[in-house]
Amino acid sequence: MLGIGLISFIAAMGLALVLTPLVKKLAVRIGAIDVPNHRKVHTRIMPRLGGVAIYAAFTVGILLILPWLPEGMLSAYDRNLIGALLVGGTLIVLLGALDDKFDLSAKLKLLVQIGAACIVVFGFDVKIDLLNIPFGSAMQPLGEWLSIPLTIFWIVGVTNAINLIDGLDGLAAGVSGIAVATILVMGIIMGNSTVILLSAILLGAIGGFLFFNFHPAKIFMGDSGSLFLGFALATLSMLGFKQITIVSFVTPLLIIGVPLSDTFFAIVRRWIHKKPIFAPDKGHLHHCLQQLGFSHRKTVLIIYGIATFFGTCAVIQSSVSNTGLGNWITFIVICALVFLLQIGAELIGIVDQTRRPVLDLLARLRMKPHTESRGK
């Protein structure tokens, strides 16, 4: 299976390398361009629609490889989810492409994203349907009243999380590529052929596009790319963890830890400053790192490193989740990461430049023993 995966990866990358320049010319011709403004980092007009090249390379790669797969390799669940990925992904890419050209309203985009998620749930019967009681062994089936909204929320949430970090050359594509690579590694560990195949194809498509998108970028992926990659990641994570539990559900959260945490802090930041949740600003992780003096390229590479750290934690957590200490290790990992995220957020000021409750508390705790020793 690894041989087929490698061939699929190379084929998808080759397709993306060929298709991206063609899509770039199309974007310029139809006026799907990104114009600089006060909120954006780039200073010149850039073609968008790059996500169309990623989507096309991924879709063609799947269609080319499917006839060569051994009979019986794909289960009914796998076929349903591949269908959901292609049909729902097509709708998402069309939405993104129209937004790249016409700048659609946020409400319309959200409605279409929910529609794509409903295609996955109702059209192909793919949803999160099992739950594990924390620190217990019983698997409990979820009623549809919880399973359906949880799945839709997951797909829409991840889709928008990737969209929100698309602010620097190569950032969203690279972070998504790291997430897909993490899923690929876990697929190899689990021996899941379908996960290996789809991850390899998507990773190849991202890699081919990233050749033109890394700083200095020649084309942006636009919403057609960020929305599609978010949708694909959400769907792939369900394919890799189809018996999703409270413990294993932590794993896909870790895989996309960077965009999810950035989205969470953006919501908190806007709530604290009494701004609309969907209002754009320049307080995201990449903005904060640049304000600290890091260059465009170094900022992207730092975030790549953070994403790799999250991916490594996901692989480790997944490997130990089935052991007797799996629940406790997961709990410790979550607590440690939450603490580190809070410290990092306060250091770079991603929520507020003046509010640093944990750092102030640690400073007071350090000062107290020092003051007591001087008093003696």
Side-chain angles (χ1 to χ4, degrees):
M1 188 60 224
L2 289 178
I4 297 178
L6 180 59
I7 294 172
S8 303
F9 170 82
I10 294 172
M13 179 176 284
L15 284 167
L17 286 170
V18 171
L19 291 171
T20 302
L22 300 178
V23 170
K24 178 184 175 182
K25 292 180 180 179
L26 174 64
V28 173
R29 179 173 298 179
I30 67 175
I33 55 176
D34 199 321
V35 180
N37 59 33
H38 69 283
R39 192 173 54 84
K40 297 179 180 178
V41 176
H42 65 283
T43 56
R44 58 192 177 94
I45 293 176
M46 291 290 293
R48 294 195 280 196
L49 282 183
V52 173
I54 299 174
Y55 162 78
F58 176 68
T59 303
V60 173
I62 290 178
L63 296 178
L64 287 177
I65 205 68
L66 280 178
W68 298 94
L69 296 180
E71 187 176 350
M73 180 186 133
L74 298 177
S75 67
Y77 180 91
D78 293 339
R79 290 186 178 278
N80 275 354
L81 206 142
I82 291 173
L85 180 59
L86 293 178
V87 176
T90 300
L91 178 60
I92 286 291
V93 169
L94 287 174
L95 169 69
L98 290 172
D99 186 55
D100 288 339
K101 168 61 179 173
F102 299 108
D103 289 324
L104 305 178
S105 69
K107 290 182 179 179
L108 176 60
K109 290 192 288 184
L110 180 60
L111 286 174
V112 177
Q113 290 167 27
I114 294 173
C118 288
I119 289 174
V120 175
V121 173
F122 299 108
F124 292 89
D125 195 29
V126 174
K127 54 184 179 292
I128 302 166
D129 54 10
L130 292 174
L131 192 66
N132 183 49
I133 300 173
F135 300 99
S137 57
M139 294 292 296
Q140 300 294 335
L142 287 178
E144 289 195 351
W145 64 272
L146 181 57
S147 173
I148 290 173
L150 179 60
T151 304
I152 293 174
F153 178 78
W154 169 253
I155 293 174
V156 174
V158 176
T159 298
N160 282 284
I162 300 298
N163 182 242
L164 285 175
I165 67 165
D166 186 22
L168 294 179
D169 297 354
L171 181 55
V175 169
S176 298
I178 292 169
V180 174
T182 302
I183 295 175
L184 175 60
V185 170
M186 296 174 66
I188 294 172
I189 293 173
M190 295 184 297
N192 191 319
S193 299
T194 307
V195 172
I196 295 172
L197 177 65
L198 293 179
S199 299
I201 295 173
L202 184 57
L203 185 60
I206 294 171
F209 171 75
L210 197 54
F211 179 80
F212 301 95
N213 184 239
F214 194 74
H215 186 71
K218 300 177 179 64
I219 184 174
F220 290 164
M221 68 165 58
D223 275 14
S224 57
S226 58
L227 293 177
F228 172 70
L229 288 179
F231 179 84
L233 279 171
T235 309
L236 268 178
S237 66
M238 287 196 293
L239 176 60
F241 311 99
K242 51 191 172 186
Q243 290 187 339
I244 293 179
T245 68
I246 286 293
V247 172
S248 66
F249 199 59
V250 172
T251 306
L253 291 177
L254 290 174
I255 291 172
I256 52 173
V258 168
L260 283 185
S261 58
D262 191 39
T263 301
F264 171 76
F265 285 126
I267 293 172
V268 174
R269 177 176 64 251
R270 292 162 188 172
W271 179 74
I272 288 176
H273 294 286
K274 295 180 170 49
K275 294 182 178 180
I277 290 179
F278 294 103
D281 60 22
K282 296 193 72 170
H284 289 284
L285 175 60
H286 55 277
H287 293 129
C288 293
L289 289 174
Q290 286 193 304
Q291 289 166 10
L292 291 175
F294 292 104
S295 67
H296 191 129
R297 187 182 293 260
K298 285 184 179 180
T299 297
V300 172
L301 292 176
I302 288 171
I303 298 177
Y304 282 4
I306 298 172
T308 302
F309 172 73
F310 272 106
T312 303
C313 289
V315 173
I316 295 172
Q317 188 276 329
S318 175
S319 300
V320 302
S321 63
N322 293 323
T323 66
L325 296 176
N327 287 300
W328 285 107
I329 293 175
T330 298
F331 177 73
I332 293 170
V333 168
I334 293 172
C335 291
L337 286 176
V338 168
F339 179 75
L340 291 174
L341 281 173
Q342 180 63 29
I343 293 295
E346 293 183 14
L347 285 173
I348 67 175
I350 195 171
V351 174
D352 191 287
Q353 296 288 343
T354 58
R355 302 185 188 188
R356 298 163 50 146
V358 176
L359 288 176
D360 290 343
L361 175 62
L362 293 176
R364 288 195 297 270
L365 292 175
R366 289 183 59 188
M367 290 178 61
K368 188 175 180 180
H370 182 68
T371 304
E372 290 177 351
S373 63
R374 288 183 61 184
K376 294 179 181 179

